[in-house]
Amino acid sequence: MLILGIESSCDETGVAMVEFSPNSGEYGKAWPKLLAQALHSQIALHTPYGGVVPELASRDHIQRVVPLTNTVVEKSKRGLSEIDAIVFTKGPGLAGALLVGAGVACALGASLDIPVLGIHHLEGHLLSPFLSSDPPSFPFVALLVSGGHTQLMSVKGVGEYEILGESIDDAAGEAFDKSAKLLGIDYPGGKELSELAVHGNPTAYAFPRPLLHSKDLNFSFAGLKTAVLTQCMKLGDKLISERAHLAASTQAAIVEVLVKKSLKALAQTGLKSLVVAGGVGANSALRASLNVECKKMNVRVHYPEIEFCTDNGAMIAMAGAMRIQAKRGVPTKDYSFEVSPRWPLDQINSDNS
Ligand code: KG4
Ligand code: ZN
């Protein structure tokens, strides 16, 4: 089965083609393989505004999605007529941006007379480590850390997700980005803050670690940006020379909370495998700390390849293909598409199976 996937939920247009053999034996024995992918990031478009401008995002997706699709079809060395189904990000995300991907997926599906299926963006992130050459095995604990979400999940199989805890306010990526902005770093900021942090002392400033010792598996990051702001104001002119220390201390606070809560989730569930996904999953301090701590607990950690941590089409094509392969998602020829800008992941089973 040849599956084309389209992602357009926020500020990246991603298209990819994956393939699996319907006769490849039992589900879970051979995961779908990535044949080709293409991505266009809108970061440069939104940087002057300090964040994503939804209307500009939609307009740019419209311009990019067809050329990217042509590139992917060409790179995959397959013809459009060979595609068996098209999957697209149905939500959550920016309504206008989602409508572009959904509209193109359904129009192409109708013209090729093939079925389509809407996919949850976070399920794409969650299953993105299956694109790597060393994929995880079910069941596992997932730490999903993106620009909009921070969640710990127990994952038993495709479509079997139980939320163990989540952020009650800002997401980890948001905490990185808002703190980065205070240090004069352009949007999105997380990656650049982590590069600056390499030159700083992570214990220079004792920033708060909210809910670190709470019994539940929830997170709270809103207080961190306030603490960073207060410190920046105190420093005044000295801020410039302290930027690396501030970056390192901010990162240390976020990483410590993410690591401690992940370990708690592993201990509570008794699971021996951790999957880290989403943009913040690219953070090298987070990876280094998780590697050390999980080794002590005899837990295996899986990360997506760096290029698949942030938004991309490959993870959506993969999640769609895995759903179809697991018979937990049936693409249909109903092209009257709709999108779900707000779509909690724990509603996915009833909505999408
Ligand atoms: O998963 P993603 O592409 O978008 C959402 O679905 O929200 O994640 C983007 C987030 C941004 O907040 C970005 O600053 C952050 O991931 N990010 C990082 C790093 N790379 C991306 N944060 C910390 N360290 C990084 N290396
Ligand atoms: Zn994302």
Side-chain angles (χ1 to χ4, degrees):
M1 294 270 287
L2 202 57
I3 312 290
L4 182 79
I6 299 177
E7 153 66 28
S8 69
S9 66
C10 189
D11 55 352
E12 257 102 25
T13 322
V15 182
M17 190 95 87
V18 300
E19 185 177 39
F20 66 92
S21 160
N23 308 314
S24 61
E26 247 175 89
Y27 148 73
K29 289 268 159 68
W31 299 121
K33 289 269 170 287
L34 179 66
L35 298 186
Q37 67 122 359
L39 185 74
H40 175 78
S41 170
Q42 302 178 351
I43 286 180
L45 175 71
H46 299 294
T47 296
Y49 305 95
V52 179
V53 182
E55 180 61 22
L56 293 183
S58 312
R59 292 182 196 195
D60 199 63
H61 285 306
I62 290 173
Q63 290 189 328
R64 308 286 173 180
V65 67
V66 173
L68 287 174
T69 304
N70 286 334
T71 304
V72 166
V73 173
E74 204 174 296
K75 280 207 285 190
S76 71
K77 299 197 168 44
R78 302 297 171 89
L80 271 179
S81 61
E82 290 176 75
I83 301 172
D84 293 293
I86 303 177
V87 300
F88 60 93
T89 307
K90 185 179 168 189
L94 301 169
L98 289 164
L99 281 167
V100 176
V104 168
C106 291
L108 188 56
S111 71
L112 296 172
D113 193 27
I114 55 172
V116 297
L117 177 68
I119 291 295
H120 197 291
H121 178 80
L122 295 183
E123 184 173 39
H125 278 302
L126 195 62
L127 300 178
S128 61
F130 286 89
L131 288 159
S132 87
S133 52
D134 178 25
S137 309
F138 295 113
F140 53 77
V141 168
L143 171 68
L144 211 147
V145 271
S146 71
H149 294 84
T150 302
Q151 290 178 330
L152 273 164
M153 264 174 280
S154 158
V155 178
K156 295 206 176 73
V158 176
E160 294 178 78
Y161 315 129
E162 183 196 345
I163 295 177
L164 304 171
E166 59 192 329
S167 178
I168 57 170
D169 42 54
D170 289 357
E174 234 174 319
F176 267 106
D177 296 350
K178 287 178 177 172
S179 305
K181 199 170 188 174
L182 294 170
L183 302 185
I185 298 171
D186 277 344
Y187 151 86
K191 185 166 180 274
E192 227 181 292
L193 184 145
S194 74
E195 285 159 4
L196 185 61
V198 172
H199 309 288
N201 173 6
T203 59
Y205 296 96
F207 288 135
R209 274 102 164 123
L211 301 187
L212 185 64
H213 300 293
S214 69
K215 287 213 175 68
D216 57 30
L217 293 168
N218 289 335
F219 304 88
S220 167
F221 290 110
L224 181 62
K225 63 168 187 292
T226 314
V228 177
L229 173 66
T230 310
Q231 192 58 57
C232 288
M233 283 163 63
K234 255 194 223 162
L235 283 165
D237 291 346
K238 285 201 211 119
L239 172 63
I240 302 291
S241 59
E242 288 297 294
R243 283 173 78 244
H245 294 320
L246 288 163
S249 303
T250 304
Q251 178 172 265
I254 299 171
V255 167
E256 185 179 347
V257 179
L258 293 177
V259 172
K260 288 260 161 72
K261 293 277 171 162
S262 301
L263 298 183
K264 196 179 260 187
L266 287 159
Q268 266 183 26
T269 56
L271 294 171
K272 287 288 173 194
S273 177
L274 176 70
V275 159
V276 184
V280 179
N283 186 270
S284 45
L286 175 65
R287 288 186 175 212
S289 178
L290 279 175
N291 288 346
V292 170
E293 296 304 324
C294 286
K295 202 168 176 194
K296 287 186 204 160
M297 283 179 78
N298 202 19
V299 165
R300 276 210 65 186
V301 202
H302 292 266
Y303 307 95
E305 309 292 335
I306 295 286
E307 64 172 325
F308 299 134
C309 281
T310 44
D311 293 349
N312 63 85
M315 68 182 197
I316 298 303
M318 188 67 175
M322 285 177 75
R323 268 202 171 260
I324 296 167
Q325 194 185 31
K327 301 192 172 42
R328 292 199 70 111
V330 182
T332 68
K333 290 187 182 174
D334 176 4
Y335 305 115
S336 57
F337 62 90
E338 56 178 45
V339 295
S340 307
R342 291 175 187 278
W343 187 11
L345 186 61
D346 48 2
Q347 277 181 18
I348 195 174
N349 299 349
S350 49
D351 289 348
N352 208 12
S353 56

